[in-house]
Amino acid sequence: MSLFQQLTEKSWAVHGPMEELPPADVIAGSVRRTGLWTLLAVVTALFGLFIAAYFLRSDYPDWVPVEDPAVLWLNTVLLVFASIAFQLARNAAERGDRKRTQRELLLGGLLTLAFLGGQYWAWEQLRLTGAYVVSDAAYAFFYLLTGIHGLHLAGGLYVWLRVMVRMWRSTD
């Protein structure tokens, strides 16, 4: 059933005999999937609006660009490798390779945690130079965007932790 069909389905309407209804686990899975896609759409729109606001505000004459801390380059590398590790974990899971899935998931999560630590370090470097949220609009946007991104990743790490716990508890 397509996402459009799921969203337009009248779940309260009579479907016929109960035997024709899909099992409860199939319904729960489609509800979760629809919820996930809705969440992803909202997060994408939120980040898109923040980026649009950033570029609109940067056109004002009082805008002074942020001196990016050098650690942000390291953070970018960490985030790229975390993304690669998560993709490798997905590929391993599709092949049924449990050990590799666990290893790649663990690596991806640890790299993401390192990224968040690096973001905190970048904030500390800016704070030590006297660059606070109220210092300038550019700094306010920097703290806002990196903070929201950090919260986004923390939500992902919550899900990651739940998956890791379930994988280590379950037996083959």
Side-chain angles (χ1 to χ4, degrees):
M1 181 180 288
S2 73
L3 178 62
F4 178 75
Q5 289 171 326
Q6 290 174 9
L7 292 174
T8 59
E9 180 184 11
K10 297 177 183 173
S11 60
W12 61 88
V14 177
H15 289 280
M18 290 299 288
E19 296 83 38
E20 295 177 16
L21 290 175
D25 60 333
V26 172
I27 293 172
S30 68
V31 168
R32 286 188 200 108
R33 194 169 24 263
T34 302
L36 177 62
W37 280 107
T38 303
L39 175 68
L40 289 174
V42 168
V43 168
T44 301
L46 181 68
F47 277 104
L49 289 170
F50 280 140
I51 290 168
Y54 174 87
F55 284 114
L56 288 172
R57 179 58 177 89
S58 67
D59 283 341
Y60 281 64
D62 66 337
W63 184 268
V64 179
V66 173
E67 291 290 328
D68 294 335
V71 71
L72 294 180
W73 288 107
L74 172 63
N75 279 358
T76 301
V77 171
L78 288 171
L79 201 55
V80 167
F81 281 117
S83 298
I84 291 169
F86 282 126
Q87 183 60 46
L88 291 174
R90 182 179 186 271
N91 295 347
E94 286 179 350
R95 287 191 312 274
D97 187 346
R98 184 180 178 84
K99 285 287 188 195
R100 178 140 188 178
T101 301
Q102 286 176 322
R103 187 176 64 238
E104 298 296 343
L105 275 176
L106 181 62
L107 178 62
L110 292 176
L111 288 169
T112 303
L113 286 168
F115 170 83
L116 288 175
Q119 287 300 104
Y120 178 75
W121 184 19
W123 280 16
E124 280 299 302
Q125 287 179 335
L126 287 175
R127 187 186 62 79
L128 292 174
T129 64
Y132 301 103
V133 173
V134 296
S135 299
D136 183 76
Y139 286 108
F141 267 101
F142 176 83
Y143 284 111
L144 173 72
L145 292 173
T146 57
I148 294 293
H149 187 230
L151 287 174
H152 174 73
L153 291 178
L157 284 172
Y158 169 75
V159 174
W160 167 79
L161 186 60
R162 290 187 59 185
V163 168
M164 294 300 290
V165 167
R166 287 179 75 183
M167 283 190 76
W168 260 275
R169 282 186 180 167
S170 67
T171 58
D172 274 352

